[in-house]
Amino acid sequence: MSSTTNTKTEVQPKLDLGTEKIGKLLARFAIPGITSMVVNALYNIVDQIFIGQGVGYLGNGATNVIFPLSTFAMAFALLIGDGSASFMSLMLGKKEERKAARGTVAGMISIVIAGVIMMCVYLTFLEPLCRLFGATDAILPYALQYGSITAIGIPFCSVCAGWASIIRADGSPKYNMIGLLTGCAINLIGDPIFIFVFHWGVAGAAWATILGQIANALINVAYIPRFKAVKIHKDDVRHCWGTLGSVLKLGVSSFISQMVLVVVMAVQNNLLRTYGALSEYGEDIPISALGVTMKVFSILAVIVIGLAAGAQPIWGYNYGAKLYSRVQKTLGLVTKISTGVMIFAFILFQFFPLVVLRIFGTQDPMYTKFSVKTLRIFLLLIPVAGFQLSAGIFFQAVGKPLQASLISLSKQILFSIPIMLILSPIKGIDGILWSGPISDALSFALTIVMMRVSWKSIFRPGEGLEREELGNAGLTAGEATAASSSGKYLIAGCPTVVTIDRSYGAGGRQIGKQLAEQLGVPYYDTDIITEAAEESGLSAMFLASVDESTGSAQPLSAVTNYSAFATSSGLTVVQQAAEEAQCAVIEKVAHNGACVIVGRRADQILKGTSPVFRVFITMPLEQRIVRVSKSELIAPEEAEKRIRKTDKRRSEFYNFTGDGKWGQAENYDLCLDAGKTGSDGAVQIIRKTLGA
C-alpha cells in the first residue's frame, strides 16, 4: 500500500521498451527532445541571422562578444534554479514540505537579485568587459549598443532560465514550454520589424530579445499561484534564507558547465583578435566568422544531443533488464543517424558553404572568403562529432558518469584551448581554425578508447538475458505469479512473504537468495525495477535512481548538461509514477503467493495486506568494511564511506512514509547479526522461525 497511489498520471499509449521496435521507440522519445532543443538554439541565434542581413558582420561580431556575458549571467541563474529544483524534489521526498517551499522561495528571489546585480555590473563595466571578451575597435560601438540594451534584460533572462527549472521540477514542463515558445516568437517577429522597418540596427535586435524575455519571464511569474508540489506562504519569505546554501551546492554542476563555455569563448575571441590583426582579414572578420560557424554547429549539436537524450530511457531500461543486444542495437542506430546528420552537414559545408553563410549575410568579399574557409576547416571532422556527442549520453544512461563527464569536457577543456594556444603562435589565425578538427579527432579517439575499455564492464559477458529469463530466481514475475497461484509456493502451509531489509555489506541479498532457493519460492530484488519499468513505461535506470534513495530522484539535468530535454517530463509527477509502479509490482507478486523480497520498502508497502514476515540483517561495521573492501576492490577508507552513505540513503528511503524507522528492532519480526550467524546460519534461523 503506497501513500502515492491516489495520484493519477496521464501517459501516452504504452510502448514496451523491452520488445517494441527500436526505431519506433526512438521516434517517440527523441522527436520532442530534438524539437525542444532546436527551439532553444534558435532563440540564441535568431538575432545573429537578422543582424547579419540588416547590419553586417560587425553586428554579428558584437553579438559574439556579448554572448559570453549572457552565458555568464545564465550560469548564475542555473546555479540557483537547478539547485532549487533539486532541493525541492529532495525535500518533498523526505516529506519536508515547508523546507521544499522555502528552498523554492529562496531560489526564486535569489535569481531575481542575481539578475539585478549582473545588470548593474554590466551597465557599469560594459566597455572593459567587451574588451575582455575580444571586442575590436570597429566592433566595440556595436557591442556597447547591443550590450547596454540586453543588459537591461538580464533580470528577465535570469527568471526565464532559472525559474524554468523550478517550474519543470514542480511537474509543469508544458507550462514552461509555453513561456519559451512565446518569447521566441516575439523575438522572431520583433527582429525584422525593428531592424528592417524601423532601421534600429543592433539596437532593434536587442529590444526584440528583451521583449521576448519579458514575456517569458512574466509567464513564469504568473506560475506562482499555480504551484502544485509546494504551497508557498508569506512566512516562507522570511525563513527561506537558511536553505540557500543547500540550494547552491545542488546547482554547482550546471554552473560549471556554463562557465566552461565562458572560458572557451574568452580565450578564442582574444586569440582571434590578436592573430586576426596580423592576417589579411584584420581583427574584426575572424571574430564574426568563427562566431557564426559555432552557432551553425550548435544547431547540429542539439539535434544529435536530442536524439541521444531520447535514446536514454531505451538504453536505461534495456540495460537494467540485461537486454544487452537491444542496448547495442539502439547505440548503433543512434550512431548511424547522428553520423548521417553530420555527414550531410559536412557535404553542405565543404561543397555549398555559401548556401549556409547567406543566411547570416555575406556583404563583404573578405568576410565571405574567410567565412567559407572557417566553415570548411573548423568543421572539417564533424562526421566524427556525432558519435562523440551521443557516446557521452550513452555512458550516463548505463551508469558511467565519470566517462560521460570526461567525454563532455574533453574537446573544449582538454584539447581545444591548449591546441589553440600552441598552434596560433605557429600558424597564426589558421592555427585557431585547425584547433577545431584536431580537437575533434582527439576527442573521437578518446571516446573510442573509453568505449573499448568500458565495453566488457558495461556488457558483462554471460550476463545478458533474453526476456523470458528475466528475474533473479530464474522466473519472470508472470511465471512466478502463475506458479504461486496454483499453491506451489507455501511456507508452513501459508503463502507468507518474507521481506529482508539489510545494512550495506551485511550480506542481506545473499541470504535472501539462499532462503528463496531452499524454500523453493520466487526471489525478487532488481527484477522488481524491471517489471515496474515494464508496467509504467518509465526507464529502468530512472526507477533505479529513485529506488532506495531519498524518496526522490535528482533531476536528470544534475547529471547531464541537457536540462531542456532531460527534465521535460516533470520530476515530481514522474517520481510519483515511479513510486506507484514499484508499489504495484510488489503488491501483485505478494498477492499471488509466498516469495522473498529484498529491500524496496516492501514490508511497509505490504503492511496489513499480506502475511508478511519482516527480517532485518546487519553486521558490525568493522566486518562490513572488510567484506565491502574485498568484494569491490577498494580501500577500507573508501569502503567505510560507501557503507555510511548507502545506509543513510536506505534509511531515508525507508522512512519516506514516516511509518516506522529503518533498522529499529520494533519494526521487524526478526533481527539477525550475520557477523555472528554467517549466511547459512541466518537462513536456518529464518526457516526455523517460520516453521519451514
Side-chain angles (χ1 to χ4, degrees):
M1 186 167 59
S2 168
S3 60
T4 60
T5 51
N6 291 330
T7 302
K8 302 295 181 184
T9 305
E10 185 179 336
V11 297
Q12 298 184 46
K14 179 182 172 183
L15 288 178
D16 191 329
L17 295 175
T19 61
E20 190 65 68
K21 291 182 178 179
I22 299 298
K24 185 175 182 179
L25 289 171
L26 199 56
R28 164 70 67 84
F29 288 104
I31 291 175
I34 292 172
T35 303
S36 174
M37 299 191 79
V38 168
V39 168
N40 258 328
L42 288 175
Y43 204 162
N44 290 328
I45 70 171
V46 68
D47 279 0
Q48 201 144 20
I49 293 173
F50 287 108
I51 288 174
Q53 294 289 346
V55 178
Y57 69 86
L58 291 176
N60 272 339
T63 64
N64 293 331
V65 168
I66 297 299
F67 188 66
L69 297 177
S70 301
T71 304
F72 189 73
M74 183 78 71
F76 282 94
L78 293 179
L79 167 70
I80 304 169
D82 285 355
S84 297
S86 300
F87 185 81
M88 178 204 296
S89 302
L90 289 169
M91 292 303 104
L92 289 174
K94 291 183 177 183
K95 294 292 186 180
E96 297 185 21
E97 287 84 0
R98 288 272 50 81
K99 277 191 177 181
R102 289 170 183 176
T104 301
V105 171
M108 292 191 298
I109 296 175
S110 298
I111 287 168
V112 175
I113 293 174
V116 171
I117 292 173
M118 285 286 181
M119 177 187 70
C120 294
V121 171
Y122 286 177
L123 290 175
T124 304
F125 303 103
L126 185 58
E127 182 170 348
L129 286 171
C130 288
R131 292 290 191 185
L132 176 65
F133 287 103
T136 66
D137 290 337
I139 290 175
L140 183 62
Y142 295 94
L144 292 175
Q145 188 179 20
Y146 185 80
S148 62
I149 298 171
T150 55
I152 299 172
I154 290 296
F156 301 103
C157 180
S158 298
V159 171
C160 293
W163 285 33
S165 300
I166 298 172
I167 292 170
R168 286 195 299 267
D170 191 56
S172 298
K174 290 182 180 178
Y175 187 96
N176 173 65
M177 184 59 70
I178 290 172
L180 178 65
L181 290 174
T182 300
C184 188
I186 291 174
N187 191 23
L188 190 62
I189 295 170
D191 270 331
I193 293 175
F194 295 155
I195 293 174
F196 299 115
V197 178
F198 293 168
H199 303 290
W200 289 355
V202 293
W207 283 115
T209 298
I210 285 184
L211 290 177
Q213 291 169 347
I214 291 174
N216 191 349
L218 290 176
I219 290 173
N220 286 355
V221 171
Y223 186 80
I224 292 176
R226 300 169 183 259
F227 270 103
K228 298 176 290 188
V230 296
K231 299 297 180 184
I232 298 174
H233 302 151
K234 291 181 179 179
D235 287 344
D236 292 330
V237 177
R238 188 172 55 207
H239 299 291
C240 70
W241 302 111
T243 64
L244 188 57
S246 299
V247 164
L248 296 178
K249 288 179 183 178
L250 292 170
V252 168
S253 62
S254 298
F255 177 79
I256 292 173
S257 67
Q258 295 293 314
M259 289 304 298
V260 166
L261 296 176
V262 174
V263 172
V264 171
M265 287 185 287
V267 173
Q268 184 175 274
N269 282 354
N270 279 284
L271 288 175
L272 289 169
R273 180 179 62 185
T274 299
Y275 292 98
L278 302 177
S279 71
E280 62 177 317
Y281 305 105
E283 58 183 1
D284 305 316
I285 287 176
I287 292 176
S288 302
L290 189 54
V292 166
T293 297
M294 293 187 70
K295 292 293 177 63
V296 170
F297 177 74
S298 72
I299 295 291
L300 299 170
V302 298
I303 292 173
V304 173
I305 291 167
L307 175 69
Q312 202 167 22
I314 307 171
W315 282 325
Y317 172 86
N318 288 283
Y319 186 73
K322 297 184 180 180
L323 299 175
Y324 296 150
S325 63
R326 289 179 60 81
V327 177
Q328 294 167 0
K329 185 176 180 181
T330 305
L331 177 60
L333 183 58
V334 169
T335 300
K336 288 177 183 177
I337 296 173
S338 59
T339 302
V341 169
M342 293 300 187
I343 289 175
F344 173 80
F346 169 81
I347 293 171
L348 185 64
F349 299 158
Q350 295 300 317
F351 298 101
F352 310 101
L354 289 177
V355 173
V356 178
L357 294 173
R358 286 194 183 103
I359 299 174
F360 297 90
T362 55
Q363 299 94 331
D364 186 280
M366 288 299 290
Y367 171 74
T368 301
K369 178 182 176 181
F370 186 76
S371 295
V372 169
K373 182 179 183 179
T374 301
L375 207 60
R376 285 175 170 166
I377 295 178
F378 195 76
L379 300 182
L380 181 64
L381 287 186
I382 60 165
V384 304
F387 175 71
Q388 189 254 347
L389 288 169
S390 56
I393 300 178
F394 167 76
F395 276 120
Q396 292 169 6
V398 297
K400 302 287 184 181
L402 178 61
Q403 290 90 329
S405 299
L406 187 57
I407 287 174
S408 298
L409 296 176
S410 63
K411 179 178 177 180
Q412 293 176 328
I413 296 298
L414 296 181
F415 301 132
S416 185
I417 292 179
I419 292 169
M420 281 192 289
L421 292 173
I422 292 170
L423 288 184
S424 54
I426 301 171
K427 301 287 291 182
I429 197 73
D430 286 352
I432 300 171
L433 299 185
W434 280 104
S435 70
I438 293 174
S439 59
D440 279 332
L442 293 174
S443 297
F444 178 70
L446 176 64
T447 303
I448 291 293
V449 170
M450 292 179 65
M451 190 69 77
R452 289 178 64 88
V453 170
S454 304
W455 193 261
K456 286 186 178 180
S457 65
I458 294 173
F459 302 112
R460 295 173 287 274
E463 288 193 14
L465 302 176
E466 299 301 326
R467 175 167 288 276
E468 64 269 15
E469 297 177 306
L470 288 176
N472 292 337
L475 295 170
T476 65
E479 290 169 335
T481 296
S484 57
S485 296
S486 66
K488 180 178 178 181
Y489 302 115
L490 299 175
I491 301 176
C494 142
T496 304
V497 175
V498 179
T499 64
I500 296 181
D501 256 325
R502 72 281 186 220
S503 300
Y504 185 63
R509 177 174 282 117
Q510 179 184 348
I511 291 169
K513 286 183 179 180
Q514 286 183 230
L515 178 66
E517 289 172 1
Q518 293 185 24
L519 294 175
V521 301
Y523 168 80
Y524 294 103
D525 186 357
T526 55
D527 49 342
I528 285 177
I529 293 176
T530 299
E531 175 116 359
E534 196 172 320
E535 294 285 338
S536 65
L538 295 172
S539 161
M541 291 296 286
F542 175 79
L543 289 171
S545 75
V546 174
D547 179 64
E548 298 199 315
S549 63
T550 57
S552 66
Q554 290 270 356
L556 293 176
S557 59
V559 293
T560 164
N561 297 330
Y562 318 121
S563 57
F565 174 80
T567 60
S568 64
S569 57
L571 180 64
T572 302
V573 174
V574 175
Q575 186 273 326
Q576 292 169 343
E579 174 75 2
E580 290 180 25
Q582 293 202 60
C583 288
V585 171
I586 289 171
E587 289 170 346
K588 182 176 75 172
V589 299
H591 175 75
N592 287 289
C595 59
V596 176
I597 304 176
V598 172
R600 324 296 160 201
R601 206 162 45 84
D603 60 320
Q604 289 191 337
I605 293 169
L606 299 175
K607 186 177 293 184
T609 64
S610 304
V612 179
F613 186 73
R614 302 168 300 169
V615 179
F616 188 84
I617 306 293
T618 189
M619 182 183 287
L621 177 62
E622 294 76 12
Q623 291 178 257
R624 289 192 283 148
I625 290 173
V626 173
R627 282 170 52 87
V628 171
S629 178
K630 183 178 180 180
S631 65
E632 301 186 19
L633 302 177
I634 57 177
E637 296 79 10
E638 179 62 28
E640 182 177 358
K641 290 180 182 178
R642 190 169 298 182
I643 288 168
R644 293 186 184 280
K645 181 178 180 180
T646 304
D647 280 353
K648 180 181 178 182
R649 291 171 60 196
R650 287 179 177 174
S651 174
E652 291 174 341
F653 179 73
Y654 185 91
N655 300 339
F656 174 55
T657 59
D659 208 8
K661 296 295 182 181
W662 182 80
Q664 290 188 358
E666 59 266 26
N667 296 315
Y668 304 94
D669 299 304
L670 179 65
C671 294
L672 293 172
D673 181 349
K676 295 179 179 178
T677 66
S679 297
D680 293 338
V683 171
Q684 294 309 312
I685 292 172
I686 296 172
R687 289 190 63 182
K688 185 176 180 180
T689 307
L690 286 168

